[in-house]
């Protein structure tokens, strides 16, 4: 009986945390986005991936689907095309990164997972653009092929690197905060030591460099609010 009650409490806490991650991802839509030509992204993938780091890759896919549907029915003007693209990009990045991290829960495992996430997401988004963009933009597929080296490949790589660095900055503090208020099981306490400080510093530099690359090198822009 006690085990049943404990399991119910844990499931309730898990659902509460997942709802929080969905809400944080959704709020990102109202803060700012990077835009380069017809491509854009917000930082919602950061919270989708962190949910996967905590609960596993299947959860990450579920949160990505919830985000895509929520955006489609409330804010998006790209309809089903945008929802499919959003889901494919978020799920491929978050699920592949959290799958690696699931079996190697260490700093190295997080780095390796995020690198895999960047690679998988970039490949998936290039394929999805080849398939979907000709219908959405009403452009010949040859035009999409020509955009791969100059737009699609660099944009998605930079997007993935930006999100990966941001995850490195906030994952541990956020997860420890949730443990501190009893929303996640207790583990060994996270200590902000010299290694953590170095990771944070390097990640901040990478975030700044990726943002500069999008704005300066790719002639993109930052749009604030909706």
């Amino acid at each position: 009986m006690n085990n049943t009650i404990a399991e119910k409490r844990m499931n309730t806490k898990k659902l509460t945390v997942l709802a929080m991650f969905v809400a944080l991802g959704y709020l990102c839509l109202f803060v700012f986005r990077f835009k380069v030509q017809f491509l854009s992204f917000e930082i919602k993938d950061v919270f989708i991936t962190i949910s996967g780091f905590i609960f596993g890759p299947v959860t990450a896919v579920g949160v990505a689907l919830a985000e895509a549907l929520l955006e489609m029915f409330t804010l998006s003007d790209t309809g089903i095309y945008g929802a499919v693209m959003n889901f494919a990009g978020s799920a491929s990045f978050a699920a592949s990164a959290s799958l690696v991290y699931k079996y190697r829960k260490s700093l190295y495992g997080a780095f390796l997972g995020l690198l895999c996430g960047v690679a998988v997401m970039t490949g998936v988004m290039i394929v999805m653009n080849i398939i979907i963009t000709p219908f959405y933009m009403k452009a010949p597929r040859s035009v999409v092929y020509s955009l791969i080296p100059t737009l699609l490949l660099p944009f998605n790589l930079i997007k993935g690197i930006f999100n990966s660095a941001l995850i490195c900055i906030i994952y541990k503090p956020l997860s420890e905060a949730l443990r501190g208020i009893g929303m996640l099981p207790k583990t060994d306490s996270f200590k902000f030591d010299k290694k953590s400080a170095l990771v944070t510093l390097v990640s901040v530099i990478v975030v700044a460099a990726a943002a500069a690359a999008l704005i300066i090198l790719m002639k993109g822009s930052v749009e604030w609010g909706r």
Side-chain angles (χ1 to χ4, degrees):
M1 185 70 171
N2 290 335
N3 288 338
T4 302
I5 293 173
E7 288 176 3
K8 287 182 177 179
R9 286 177 178 173
M10 183 57 66
N11 288 335
T12 300
K13 288 181 179 180
K14 179 179 178 179
L15 289 174
T16 302
V17 172
L18 291 179
M20 183 197 74
F21 282 129
V22 171
L24 287 172
Y26 187 69
L27 285 174
C28 289
L29 303 176
F30 296 91
V31 181
F32 74 91
R33 72 185 64 80
F34 289 99
K35 188 171 182 62
V36 180
Q37 296 186 37
F38 63 90
L39 301 175
S40 65
F41 81 92
E42 305 88 2
I43 62 170
K44 64 179 184 293
D45 287 0
V46 170
F47 297 104
I48 296 171
T49 306
I50 290 176
S51 75
F53 275 18
I54 295 173
F55 296 113
V58 174
T59 297
V61 172
V63 174
L65 180 60
E67 292 282 7
L69 292 175
L70 188 59
E71 183 176 355
M72 181 180 72
F73 287 117
T74 59
L75 298 173
S76 177
D77 57 2
T78 56
I80 188 65
Y81 293 117
V84 171
M85 295 288 278
N86 283 335
F87 173 71
S90 297
S92 59
F93 176 72
S96 53
S98 55
L99 179 62
V100 174
Y101 187 67
K102 178 180 179 180
Y103 294 103
R104 198 172 186 117
K105 292 203 170 183
S106 63
L107 184 60
Y108 173 77
F111 285 155
L112 183 60
L114 291 169
L115 285 174
C116 289
V118 173
V120 171
M121 182 270 295
T122 300
V124 166
M125 293 312 293
I126 288 175
V127 172
M128 294 300 292
N129 272 282
I130 290 172
I131 295 172
I132 292 179
T133 300
F135 296 101
Y136 174 64
M137 301 291 290
K138 294 181 171 51
R141 190 159 277 115
S142 58
V143 172
V144 180
Y145 287 131
S146 70
L147 293 175
I148 292 175
T150 60
L151 178 62
L152 299 178
L153 178 61
F155 176 85
N156 284 291
L157 283 175
I158 296 171
K159 167 187 172 182
I161 291 169
F162 181 97
N163 284 335
S164 295
L166 201 52
I167 290 167
C168 289
I169 294 171
I170 69 173
Y171 167 58
K172 276 296 184 180
L174 179 57
S175 60
E176 287 302 311
L178 291 172
R179 289 187 175 93
I181 60 174
M183 297 306 293
L184 295 177
K186 292 286 186 180
T187 60
D188 293 336
S189 296
F190 167 65
K191 296 180 180 179
F192 194 80
D193 53 17
K194 290 182 179 180
K195 183 188 290 186
S196 301
L198 180 60
V199 169
T200 300
L201 177 61
V202 172
S203 298
V204 169
I205 293 171
V206 172
V207 165
L214 285 169
I215 295 170
I216 299 172
L217 297 181
M218 299 197 69
K219 296 180 173 55
S221 62
V222 179
E223 296 183 353
W224 301 91
R226 274 284 176 179

